[in-house]
Amino acid sequence: MSDHAADHRHHDHGHHHHDDHNDHDHDDHDGHHHHAFDWLMGVRIAFVALCAVAVHFQWPDANPPLLMIGDQVFLPFSWWALAGIVIGGWPLLEEAWESILRRKMTMELSMGIAILAAAYTGYFFVALIITFFVLVAEVLEGMTLERGRRAIRNLLELLPRQVSVRRNGQIAEVDSSTLRPGDIVLVAPGALIPVDGRVIGGSSHVDESRITGESMPIEKLVDDHVYAGSINRSGALEIDARSIGKDTSYGRIIETIEQAERSRAPIQHLSDRLAAYIVYVALAFAVLEYWISKGDVNSTISVIVVAGACGVAAGTPLAILGAIGRAARLGAIVKGGAHLETLGVVDTVVLDKTGTLTFGKPEVVAIHPADGIEEGDLLAAATMAELRSEHPLGKAVIGLAQARGITIAEPETFSYTAGRGIAAVSQGERVLVGNRDWLLENSVSVQAGELPRGSTPIHVSRGGRYLGSISVADTVRPEAARAVSALREMGIRTVLLTGDTAEVADAVAAQLGIADVRSRLLPEQKLEHIKTLVASNAAVAMVGDGVNDTLALAAANVGVAMGSGTAVAREQADIVLLGNDLERFVETVALARRTRRVIWFNFAGTVVIDAIGILLVMTGFVGPVLAVMIHTGSELAFILNSARLLPMGKKPAHAHEERNIAAAPSAQPAE
């Protein structure tokens, strides 16, 4: 019967102006209201029903008095009808009057016209029936929308209300709303962490799966950062609170969701216009029917009533609201209805490689000892030389050695040559670790071997003897192949843009089944590729995680940032994937497409039912009461169709029972 949310900026498919923070006008500004079911509304509906029964049975007087003004005799008059229409229909008539003041045709105004016309012509029972069903429909719509908003508000309730703090040497239980930055917060084992802050006492393992997507609990020691919404699994922690409530990473994400729920997608403006057109068409046919029927007010009112656009006006914002809430449970924070709508028509997805398709963390993928050399000796020599290195490839070698429990010896001397490798001395023997040219420069012959595609070899020698090579590569995320395959099945083209070498890019693309690959790209070149795609009328979603992706994220129709990415990428993006899981992105695309189908089904269904309803009224098959039934029945059907998108399930008893429903998007402290 009405829509919700404030006006949202126009979404230009080529540009983003991220000003969502200014878009919080309330529903009332559009003159639309939702009536949740409270005791007053319940009494009002019951009173209208009682008045309708009294009018129908002509109680208490079977011969109602005539309404007379001066010498003019009007129609039979009923105080029951007057009381029911004025008292019961007051909310509807008030909204109709507001529509007149705003010079805007709304469903409330058309229903108000129908009610007053029915009453004026003596159809008091019809006027009360219209009032009754309109009020019931408004309440059901309001309850459905409130359910969606409650699902979003429940995300905030996952944070604890009572918190233990140490103030002035005393430990006290305080309300979380009274916390201040600088408070020392005590978190017991099994409790939720209520603030962003730094550990100053104790140690524990913390479950950050809803924040960073890391499935295993992370050990937290003194000076480590912890985040609101994560779960303290083992030991007790003392935390120096840095950010409180809505200032935490968690709180800012919830605020983003709430702003998105208040924002309006272009399709919502379209639904408003369609609803207004339907009302105008209904009034035009009502005038035509009045002329054809030679003044038959009964059928004229029926035409006005039967043509309902409420399913469109209410169902569209409800579908957007439900989809945003459901996306949050999937682990995708959609920053506005416009982005959800655009995602529903995306036909090209551009993927960054490092951190998006891969973990962005090199790992050892193969060890190739030379003839007569043990694998353990090769790894031990390489680890010793890399011990003082800061190179990411060296850290991958050290990580493997530590995982295998190999004792790492300190080098006696260490030197690093940029772009070549390391020279170290251990037990009087010179150890060389680096690329092929580095060993050849030092007169060590290197054996050729088969290397895993896309990997980087680290060659090792000791005392002038070649020990073998260790292949290191950035490993592909396990879900990436499934996500790319699912996008292909949805008819979406995938493109890989990366600054990495052609060899590495081609290897990753081959592993994932991506045909369109562009490598060795600078950020500006990525931007040009996105602009070219957009200019070719492709609807482009860009998925990235780093500073080098921010230009491309802004230029795409929809920018999608991995939650583990940089703060600037998350700020620039329209959608943030909390768990760094591309499959969640695919699910969000599918959800956006489903939302679009639901909305357009409501559009088409409303037009068809209204056309059939008007035809049935004008051919005499439908009267006022049945017209009311058709109107409210179709409205509720389309609202319930949209309600299927609302998040299902009850709020979890414990936060960890629900994966990624909403959380801070980063493993880094808020900037």
Side-chain angles (χ1 to χ4, degrees):
M1 177 60 63
S2 53
D3 66 76
H4 85 296
D7 286 340
H8 184 67
R9 61 179 169 81
H10 173 70
H11 182 71
D12 186 329
H13 279 286
H15 306 275
H16 297 288
H17 308 284
H18 294 271
D19 54 2
D20 299 54
H21 295 281
N22 299 324
D23 293 336
H24 344 147
D25 299 327
H26 295 290
D27 304 7
D28 292 352
H29 294 183
D30 260 352
H32 299 291
H33 310 271
H34 298 299
H35 303 290
F37 188 80
D38 55 22
W39 68 270
L40 180 60
M41 185 58 73
V43 169
R44 183 173 274 129
I45 291 172
F47 181 69
V48 172
L50 176 63
C51 291
V53 170
V55 169
H56 182 70
F57 291 105
Q58 297 185 344
W59 182 82
D61 188 353
N63 297 300
L66 298 178
L67 175 61
M68 297 185 64
I69 300 177
D71 295 332
Q72 182 68 38
V73 179
F74 284 83
L75 298 163
F77 178 72
S78 168
W79 287 107
W80 283 106
L82 179 64
I85 292 169
V86 173
I87 297 173
W90 183 256
L92 178 67
L93 296 174
E94 185 181 32
E95 291 176 32
W97 177 246
E98 288 180 10
S99 298
I100 292 173
L101 295 179
R102 294 197 326 274
R103 298 179 182 176
K104 185 176 180 182
M105 178 53 69
T106 63
M107 289 307 302
E108 287 80 11
L109 179 53
S110 70
M111 291 298 103
I113 292 171
I115 290 169
L116 295 178
Y120 178 77
T121 52
Y123 294 100
F124 297 120
F125 179 69
V126 171
L128 290 169
I129 288 294
I130 296 171
T131 305
F132 175 80
F133 276 103
V134 166
L135 289 177
V136 170
E138 285 264 340
V139 166
L140 290 176
E141 176 195 334
M143 291 171 67
T144 310
L145 281 169
E146 181 58 29
R147 176 185 153 201
R149 289 173 176 154
R150 189 167 58 246
I152 289 174
R153 283 199 302 269
N154 284 345
L155 301 178
L156 273 176
E157 294 177 9
L158 293 174
L159 293 181
R161 298 277 179 87
Q162 295 293 314
V163 181
S164 295
V165 297
R166 177 180 285 123
R167 290 176 179 167
N168 302 320
Q170 302 292 319
I171 296 176
E173 287 283 325
V174 302
D175 191 279
S176 59
S177 62
T178 67
L179 285 175
R180 302 185 298 270
D183 277 341
I184 306 304
V185 178
L186 311 180
V187 183
L192 279 160
I193 294 174
V195 296
D196 285 2
R198 182 176 63 89
V199 176
I200 60 171
S203 63
S204 181
H205 284 80
V206 173
D207 179 358
E208 294 183 346
S209 60
R210 291 172 48 247
I211 296 173
T212 64
E214 173 61 53
S215 58
M216 299 299 293
I218 299 170
E219 186 176 15
K220 296 292 182 181
L221 305 172
V222 172
D223 282 338
D224 287 339
H225 285 275
V226 291
Y227 307 97
S230 53
I231 305 161
N232 182 22
R233 287 295 189 197
S234 49
L237 292 174
E238 289 190 36
I239 300 166
D240 178 9
R242 298 287 179 88
S243 300
I244 310 297
K246 288 195 171 183
D247 293 329
T248 62
S249 309
Y250 183 96
R252 286 202 307 276
I253 286 295
I254 301 302
E255 191 173 12
T256 299
I257 298 173
E258 290 176 332
Q259 287 174 0
E261 182 263 312
R262 290 194 293 264
S263 73
R264 285 169 63 81
I267 202 165
Q268 289 178 248
H269 294 294
L270 176 61
S271 73
D272 290 343
R273 289 198 299 272
L274 177 61
Y277 292 151
I278 288 173
V279 173
Y280 285 127
V281 169
L283 292 175
F285 271 102
V287 172
L288 179 63
E289 172 63 14
Y290 185 80
W291 178 70
I292 292 173
S293 64
K294 295 182 170 51
D296 183 354
V297 178
N298 202 354
S299 59
T300 303
I301 292 170
S302 300
V303 170
I304 297 174
V305 172
V306 80
C310 310
V312 169
T316 301
L318 178 60
I320 297 287
L321 167 67
I324 288 173
R326 188 178 282 263
R329 286 179 178 249
L330 290 175
I333 302 305
V334 182
K335 294 183 181 179
H339 311 311
L340 185 77
E341 180 185 343
T342 307
L343 189 63
V345 297
V346 158
D347 55 24
T348 304
V349 172
V350 178
L351 301 160
D352 173 49
K353 181 184 73 71
T354 306
T356 302
L357 296 175
T358 66
F359 286 103
K361 182 180 177 184
E363 291 184 3
V364 174
V365 293
I367 300 176
H368 312 277
D371 295 340
I373 302 297
E374 293 291 327
E375 189 176 284
D377 293 337
L378 168 61
L379 193 56
T383 306
M384 180 277 300
E386 295 281 9
L387 187 61
R388 294 180 184 175
S389 170
E390 292 298 316
H391 198 284
L393 300 185
K395 291 184 179 297
V397 174
I398 292 170
L400 178 63
Q402 290 173 334
R404 293 190 177 184
I406 294 174
T407 303
I408 304 174
E410 284 276 348
E412 295 164 14
T413 64
F414 170 88
S415 65
Y416 171 66
T417 303
R420 288 289 188 267
I422 295 166
V425 174
S426 175
Q427 298 177 346
E429 289 187 300
R430 191 167 187 242
V431 176
L432 300 174
V433 177
N435 58 28
R436 181 188 181 89
D437 292 342
W438 176 240
L439 269 67
L440 292 176
E441 283 178 18
N442 287 275
S443 305
V444 177
S445 59
V446 176
Q447 297 176 8
E450 190 73 25
L451 298 176
R453 189 178 179 189
S455 66
T456 302
I458 300 173
H459 297 280
V460 183
S461 71
R462 186 182 188 110
R465 183 184 180 187
Y466 183 68
L467 300 182
S469 67
I470 300 171
S471 294
V472 179
D474 187 1
T475 52
V476 173
R477 292 180 180 271
E479 74 280 359
R482 296 191 297 270
V484 171
S485 175
L487 288 172
R488 193 182 307 115
E489 289 175 8
M490 294 167 70
I492 294 175
R493 169 192 178 197
T494 53
V495 180
L496 173 58
L497 300 185
T498 179
D500 215 330
T501 64
E503 183 185 8
V504 172
D506 290 343
V508 170
Q511 193 172 339
L512 298 176
I514 300 175
D516 195 346
V517 186
R518 316 290 169 85
S519 55
R520 291 192 178 279
L521 297 180
L522 297 172
E524 294 79 9
Q525 292 171 314
K526 284 187 178 182
L527 173 62
E528 288 307 314
H529 278 293
I530 295 293
K531 284 183 174 179
T532 302
L533 286 169
V534 171
S536 68
N537 291 324
V540 181
M542 168 70 192
V543 186
D545 76 324
V547 173
N548 62 327
D549 298 318
T550 53
L551 294 174
L553 288 172
N557 301 120
V558 183
V560 183
M562 305 294 276
S564 61
T566 60
V568 66
R570 295 194 310 273
E571 276 302 311
Q572 190 65 59
D574 305 310
I575 299 171
V576 179
L577 301 178
L578 301 178
N580 309 312
D581 188 342
L582 273 178
E583 286 189 290
R584 300 289 83 79
F585 170 66
V586 175
E587 290 175 10
T588 307
V589 173
L591 175 63
R593 289 187 167 192
R594 182 184 170 198
T595 304
R596 188 175 175 81
R597 286 196 301 271
V598 165
I599 290 171
W600 282 102
F601 177 85
N602 288 357
F603 280 10
T606 298
V607 171
V608 169
I609 289 177
D610 287 353
I612 294 172
I614 291 173
L615 182 64
L616 291 174
V617 170
M618 296 185 73
T619 52
F621 288 100
V622 169
V625 175
L626 189 53
V628 172
M629 303 292 287
I630 293 173
H631 174 103
T632 55
S634 63
E635 172 184 352
L636 293 179
F638 293 128
I639 288 175
L640 292 175
N641 184 42
S642 295
R644 294 186 300 126
L645 291 165
L646 291 173
M648 297 300 166
K650 297 179 180 177
K651 187 181 74 170
H654 302 287
H656 65 274
E657 291 177 12
E658 188 165 2
R659 179 182 181 273
N660 278 343
I661 61 171
S666 170
Q668 301 300 323
E671 294 296 320

